[in-house]
């Protein structure tokens, strides 16, 4: 029996969510719309199978087709990112990062990551996360004036702190990272280099963002952001580190792999290997630039002076509104974003002075630079009058009209 027949409550809520996704503008930099093919694989009978272990070395019988699927995902990931080894089993970005830590560090070891308030990730050393509880983080920051990474300052801090591992790759940093500079710093201090490319993996796959593959000892990524796959993650590394990584994922961190998600990843990698994906990735960046230019023209300040990627970090201070207020007002107008700390933010993380916006999802809908201009103008109108209910309803209507021209899941 179908879901509609057996569980009307869940079915109804999924239908509502579908409608909501169709009629709103998704500007959360870490979100996207996976293809029907990806969702079909992810919602398949593979959810029924236990497959602890790795292809051809499982602890349960009956994995002949599951093995082929996982091998296909691995082979495609290796081809897409030009890496020696890929482990496609991590359930999420956080569990991929835990496994990477356990492969290269002992509990209590010191490592360096970008401060969360400067654009780093929770799993890169926050005191409330495993990374900050079980390991010893020493954060680096962006430069206070330029809001960009200062490689000399990072090198100096690394020489003082002597971390065993250094992470590069962030969640709210709009500029391109110099992976070669990180390799040199790691070599100088004898640290393992870990690149968390979760946010811009799709841009790397599409050839519009440099790849860390030549430099990093470990690369972790989620598969559902710019890469446009199913919710999940993977770890890549040179062949020499394969065993360490595989052991850390299973049995170190996880039990049975989610083979339905792995099938979804295989489909996503195949999609990203197509020439059209390069066009898509380039358009994401062009769209982010168009959005940025229009936001800046309205008097908003852009952190680090703009963007070279899929995301823009906006300082709302010139408009006299907090991140929290802006996020709420925009949501009422059908524009979905997230508040975000800006570097050296005087406001607490639950309030913030910033807003993070990304263009991966709108680009998937087929929107181009002219639509980005329109979207930026809608954002500005709302944040200039966040309490004007009539205006928010009017913008909501415009949002629905625009969304109607760029349907998802036709
Ligand atoms: N939650 C993701 C993001 O929005 O960047 C990172 O885990």
């Amino acid at each position: 029996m179908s879901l509609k027949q057996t569980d009307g409550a869940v079915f109804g809520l999924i239908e509502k969510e579908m409608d909501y996704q169709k009629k709103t503008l998704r500007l959360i930099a870490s979100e996207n719309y996976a293809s029907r093919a990806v969702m079909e694989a992810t919602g398949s009978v593979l959810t029924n199978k236990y497959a602890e272990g790795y292809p051809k070395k499982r602890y349960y019988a009956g994995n002949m087709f599951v093995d082929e699927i996982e091998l296909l995902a691995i082979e495609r990931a290796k081809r897409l990112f030009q890496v020696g080894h890929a482990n496609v089993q991590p359930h999420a970005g956080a569990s991929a990062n835990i496994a990477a830590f356990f492969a290269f560090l002992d509990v209590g070891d010191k490592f360096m990551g970008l401060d969360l308030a400067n654009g780093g990730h929770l799993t890169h050393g926050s005191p409330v996360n495993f990374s900050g509880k079980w390991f010893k983080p020493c954060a680096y920051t962006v430069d206070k004036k330029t809001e960009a990474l200062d490689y000399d300052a990072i090198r100096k801090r690394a020489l003082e702190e002597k971390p065993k591992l250094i992470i590069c790759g962030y969640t709210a940093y709009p500029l391109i990272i110099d992976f070669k500079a990180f390799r040199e710093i790691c070599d100088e201090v004898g640290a393992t280099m870990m690149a968390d490319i979760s946010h811009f993996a799709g841009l790397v796959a599409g050839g519009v963002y440099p790849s860390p593959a030549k430099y990093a000892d470990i690369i972790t990524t989620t598969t559902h952001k710019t890469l446009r796959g199913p919710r999940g993650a993977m770890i890549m590394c040179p062949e020499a580190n394969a065993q360490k990584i595989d052991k850390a994922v299973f049995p170190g961190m996880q039990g049975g792999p989610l083979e339905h998600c792995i099938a979804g990843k295989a489909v996503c990698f195949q999609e990203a290997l197509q020439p059209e994906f390069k066009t898509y990735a380039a358009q994401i960046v062009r769209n982010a630039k168009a959005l940025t230019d229009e936001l800046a023209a309205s008097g908003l300040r852009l952190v680090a002076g703009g963007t070279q990627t899929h995301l823009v970090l906006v300082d709302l201070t010139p408009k006299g509104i907090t991140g929290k207020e802006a996020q709420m007002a925009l949501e009422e107008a059908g524009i979905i974003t997230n508040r975000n700390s800006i570097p050296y933010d005087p406001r607490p993380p639950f309030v913030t002075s910033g807003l993070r916006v990304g263009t991966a999802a709108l680009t998937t809908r087929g929107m181009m630079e002219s639509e980005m201009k329109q979207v930026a103008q809608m954002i500005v109108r709302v944040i200039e009058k966040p309490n004007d209910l009539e205006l928010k309803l009017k913008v909501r209507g415009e949002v629905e009209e625009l969304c109607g021209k760029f349907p998802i899941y036709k």
Side-chain angles (χ1 to χ4, degrees):
M1 288 222 286
S2 69
L3 178 64
K4 191 176 180 180
Q5 289 163 317
T6 60
D7 194 333
V10 170
F11 178 83
L13 287 168
I14 294 175
E15 287 285 290
K16 279 188 182 164
E17 173 64 20
M18 175 71 170
D19 193 55
Y20 189 55
Q21 290 194 14
K22 275 185 183 168
K23 292 182 181 160
T24 49
L25 290 170
R26 307 258 138 182
L27 281 152
I28 293 181
S30 47
E31 291 185 1
N32 211 329
Y33 300 104
S35 69
R36 276 191 186 279
V38 164
M39 291 195 293
E40 200 178 317
T42 311
S44 69
V45 292
L46 292 162
T47 195
N48 298 334
K49 192 69 196 102
Y50 251 118
E52 274 158 308
Y54 288 103
K56 317 282 182 206
K57 287 169 282 181
R58 306 283 191 185
Y59 288 81
Y60 293 80
N63 277 302
M64 60 275 228
F65 302 118
V66 161
D67 277 1
E68 280 191 52
I69 286 167
E70 191 166 332
L71 286 170
L72 207 53
I74 292 168
E75 180 272 317
R76 289 175 180 176
K78 283 166 63 176
R79 204 150 34 95
L80 183 61
F81 289 99
Q82 299 287 300
V83 289
H85 181 70
N87 185 311
V88 294
Q89 293 193 357
H91 303 331
S95 48
N97 286 351
I98 298 178
F101 273 49
F102 278 120
F104 285 87
L105 298 175
D106 291 314
V107 170
D109 277 349
K110 193 189 267 189
F111 74 98
M112 242 171 94
L114 180 66
D115 182 38
L116 180 63
N118 277 224
H121 189 248
L122 196 66
T123 59
H124 297 183
S126 159
V128 296
N129 179 259
F130 85 90
S131 53
K133 282 179 189 256
W134 300 343
F135 301 91
K136 211 168 146 198
C138 53
Y140 57 93
T141 56
V142 294
D143 180 74
K144 208 164 184 174
K145 204 155 158 233
T146 62
E147 297 172 316
L149 294 172
D150 173 347
Y151 296 93
D152 290 333
I154 297 169
R155 175 177 171 268
K156 196 164 161 265
R157 180 136 175 84
L159 285 167
E160 280 160 13
E161 294 284 352
K162 302 234 172 325
K164 271 184 79 177
L165 180 145
I166 300 178
I167 307 180
C168 54
Y170 321 105
T171 55
Y173 184 70
L175 305 180
I176 284 174
I177 298 162
D178 183 347
F179 293 117
K180 186 164 174 278
F182 270 103
R183 178 73 266 166
E184 285 164 5
I185 295 168
C186 286
D187 285 344
E188 204 173 341
V189 299
T192 297
M193 176 178 163
M194 173 172 162
D196 180 344
I197 66 166
S198 293
H199 257 269
F200 47 86
L203 306 185
V204 173
V208 292
Y209 194 109
S211 167
K214 260 198 330 213
Y215 305 111
D217 300 300
I218 328 159
I219 301 172
T220 58
T221 185
T222 49
T223 47
H224 49 270
K225 298 187 174 91
T226 49
L227 198 50
R228 213 167 53 180
R231 198 151 282 276
M234 70 170 153
I235 307 181
M236 298 172 279
C237 59
E239 186 56 44
N241 296 334
Q243 226 185 343
K244 266 190 187 174
I245 290 292
D246 284 354
K247 272 192 178 159
V249 174
F250 175 85
M253 251 299 296
Q254 295 183 175
L258 310 180
E259 292 295 343
H260 52 306
C261 296
I262 290 174
K265 291 172 198 175
V267 175
C268 145
F269 302 151
Q270 184 68 0
E271 289 177 357
L273 279 161
Q274 304 312 307
E276 303 85 81
F277 197 83
K278 286 197 175 6
T279 314
Y280 167 63
Q283 190 60 45
I284 295 177
V285 178
R286 277 200 294 272
N287 280 353
K289 176 84 176 60
L291 192 74
T292 304
D293 289 348
E294 195 63 22
L295 291 171
S298 85
L300 282 160
R301 194 184 76 81
L302 305 169
V303 169
T307 185
Q308 298 173 325
T309 64
H310 64 300
L311 75 83
V312 186
L313 194 54
V314 184
D315 178 1
L316 299 162
T317 315
K319 300 281 180 198
I321 182 173
T322 67
K324 190 178 175 195
E325 288 161 343
Q327 176 188 311
M328 279 165 59
L330 288 166
E331 185 181 18
E332 287 173 60
I335 302 173
I336 313 301
T337 61
N338 69 280
R339 61 179 175 274
N340 213 104
S341 296
I342 56 169
Y344 307 96
D345 202 324
R347 295 197 168 94
F350 203 72
V351 180
T352 83
S353 303
L355 195 72
R356 189 186 68 161
V357 289
T359 52
L362 296 193
T363 309
T364 296
R365 292 186 88 134
M367 293 188 193
M368 309 288 272
E369 287 95 322
S370 57
E371 284 79 32
M372 293 306 112
K373 205 169 160 177
Q374 217 178 320
V375 171
Q377 287 166 359
M378 289 185 208
I379 293 175
V380 172
R381 280 160 63 207
V382 173
I383 60 178
E384 281 179 345
K385 290 187 180 161
N387 299 316
D388 186 336
L389 200 61
E390 210 175 304
L391 171 82
K392 285 184 280 191
L393 284 175
K394 186 168 184 318
V395 172
R396 181 142 198 160
E398 292 170 29
V399 164
E400 284 193 22
E401 198 186 321
L402 179 62
C403 289
K405 291 188 202 150
F406 296 91
I408 52 166
Y409 309 122
K410 288 166 207 147

